[in-house]
Amino acid sequence: MKPLRTDRLIYLRVLGPLVLVTAILMLVSIASFHYQAASRTYVGGRAAWYNSVNQSLDLLRERAYGRQPQGSCDAVDGLMAVPLGNSAARREMDKPEPNFTAVRQALLRGGNRPEDVGGIIRMYRVIHDLPAVQPVMGVWRDGDMLLDRLQAVSRKICVPDSHLADGAQANLREIDVLSAGLVDVENRFAKVLDAVSHNVRNTLTATVLVLGFLLAGGGGWFVVRTIRAQIKQRDQLLEANVRWDMAADAANIGVFVWHTNDDTVELDERARRIRGFDNDSRTTFTLADILHPAPTSDQVFIENQSAQSLPEGERRR
């Protein structure tokens, strides 16, 4: 004989999967919102990186031609703070045990808002090792190498005017090479970042849809199962009542319900007729009405046993 399942086990088996799917759907939805906010920051950072490096190259070119004073190099340093800050943050996060205080400071130097820094760090730590993101990481590293070369050129050009002519042509050629590399890195970064964003968006969308269908299907299955169980119980109850009515008709007996809390008894029509209450409109009687005035020892025994064994207010046929 199979053991009966407890109510707690039944609820766990039915509601457990629904609660699990709902929790996963909530987590995926929350992760989608955070990803959207962080990706917006990365896209904005890409634009800021390109503008800063491009303006720095223009100033250095003008300085190499002698059209800008040496003080213009201070403006270059200010412009380079944005890409250099993000580069320092990326290099620190690539370490096995990064210093997150240094990462936050570098990201703030990179022009990121304080409220966005946490999302940038979490997103980078989660996805930077994924195969689908490696093209983005590769372009980012190429961009950081370009920054290193740009700093080297800046040190050569940001010298007193009397030394500016030394190697001027070589510096201009290097600036042209860096400018072409800047355009290439920007185009590659835009392309791979858009591809990764589309892939992540499609993955999150598919995940939410699958979880939504599972949740809807599980809820529908639970409702159908519950309705079927109720219909089955109703049919079983009707069948049992039919059998009882047929047995009562065959035995020519009546049906009564005994309320032990107040010793009252409900009688159906047949029971009232058998006990001589044909003309009595009442359906509820006391024990004194239906029992013999002088109860037998058997009747006393039955009443005592019933009072001891049945809970108060329980009904018995």
Side-chain angles (χ1 to χ4, degrees):
M1 181 178 178
K2 295 177 62 176
L4 295 177
R5 297 175 181 174
T6 62
D7 292 344
R8 183 176 300 178
L9 181 59
I10 294 175
Y11 283 122
L12 181 62
R13 288 172 64 92
V14 174
L15 298 180
L18 296 180
V19 173
L20 179 61
V21 173
T22 304
I24 296 176
L25 182 59
M26 293 174 59
L27 291 176
V28 172
S29 300
I30 293 173
S32 300
F33 299 146
H34 284 282
Y35 165 77
Q36 183 179 12
S39 61
R40 173 188 54 79
T41 304
Y42 275 94
V43 172
R46 184 198 76 191
W49 183 93
Y50 177 81
N51 292 333
S52 298
V53 175
N54 191 42
Q55 293 179 40
S56 298
L57 287 172
D58 290 342
L59 284 174
L60 290 175
R61 183 179 290 108
E62 293 296 313
R63 172 60 183 165
Y65 279 119
R67 301 169 184 168
Q68 292 286 347
Q70 185 180 2
S72 62
C73 292
D74 294 337
V76 173
D77 293 337
L79 290 170
M80 291 297 294
V82 171
L84 289 176
N86 291 321
S87 175
R90 197 270 306 166
R91 293 174 178 178
E92 183 66 27
M93 284 190 290
D94 281 345
K95 296 179 180 179
E97 297 181 1
N99 183 343
F100 289 106
T101 300
V103 172
R104 291 186 179 90
Q105 293 174 351
L107 289 174
L108 292 175
R109 292 197 305 271
N112 299 286
R113 297 187 302 176
E115 58 268 25
D116 293 333
V117 169
I120 295 173
I121 295 174
R122 285 191 298 271
M123 183 174 178
Y124 187 89
R125 296 293 291 174
V126 169
I127 70 173
H128 80 286
D129 285 333
L130 298 178
V133 186
Q134 292 313 302
V136 177
M137 298 295 105
V139 176
W140 196 344
R141 294 185 183 96
D142 291 344
D144 289 342
M145 293 175 61
L146 186 146
L147 291 179
D148 295 338
R149 293 171 60 187
L150 180 58
Q151 283 186 293
V153 173
S154 177
R155 287 191 292 268
K156 294 178 183 179
I157 295 177
C158 292
V159 295
D161 293 343
S162 58
H163 299 87
L164 186 60
D166 300 339
Q169 293 300 320
N171 292 334
L172 287 172
R173 286 194 298 270
E174 182 68 16
I175 289 176
D176 291 337
V177 172
L178 290 176
S179 181
L182 169 65
V183 174
D184 177 66
V185 166
E186 166 62 15
N187 291 336
R188 290 164 53 203
F189 195 77
K191 184 180 297 184
V192 297
L193 187 60
D194 289 344
V196 170
S197 297
H198 291 157
N199 291 336
V200 174
R201 181 196 63 190
N202 294 337
T203 300
L204 290 175
T205 301
T207 302
V208 171
L209 288 176
V210 169
L211 292 174
F213 281 125
L214 287 176
L215 185 60
W221 171 84
F222 176 67
V223 171
V224 171
R225 182 183 177 90
T226 302
I227 293 176
R228 286 180 176 176
Q230 291 179 347
I231 293 175
K232 183 178 179 180
Q233 292 173 357
R234 184 199 64 185
D235 292 343
Q236 291 176 344
L237 180 59
L238 291 175
E239 183 180 359
N241 288 336
V242 169
R243 292 179 178 178
W244 175 259
D245 290 338
M246 291 176 62
D249 289 338
N252 195 27
I253 61 175
V255 179
F256 69 92
V257 179
W258 182 6
H259 299 275
T260 59
N261 58 331
D262 58 359
D263 280 339
T264 58
V265 180
E266 295 182 35
L267 303 179
D268 68 353
E269 183 179 356
R270 186 184 297 108
R272 292 200 304 272
R273 185 173 61 253
I274 293 175
R275 287 166 176 78
F277 299 118
D278 306 62
N279 299 323
D280 198 326
S281 61
R282 292 180 299 166
T283 58
T284 303
F285 302 86
T286 64
L287 286 179
D289 294 331
I290 63 175
L291 293 180
H292 192 276
T296 64
S297 59
D298 291 338
Q299 293 172 340
V300 174
F301 175 78
I302 292 174
E303 289 184 358
N304 292 336
Q305 291 298 314
S306 298
Q308 296 175 8
S309 61
L310 295 179
E312 183 179 353
E314 186 172 342
R315 300 159 61 144
R316 281 292 184 269
R317 291 183 182 270

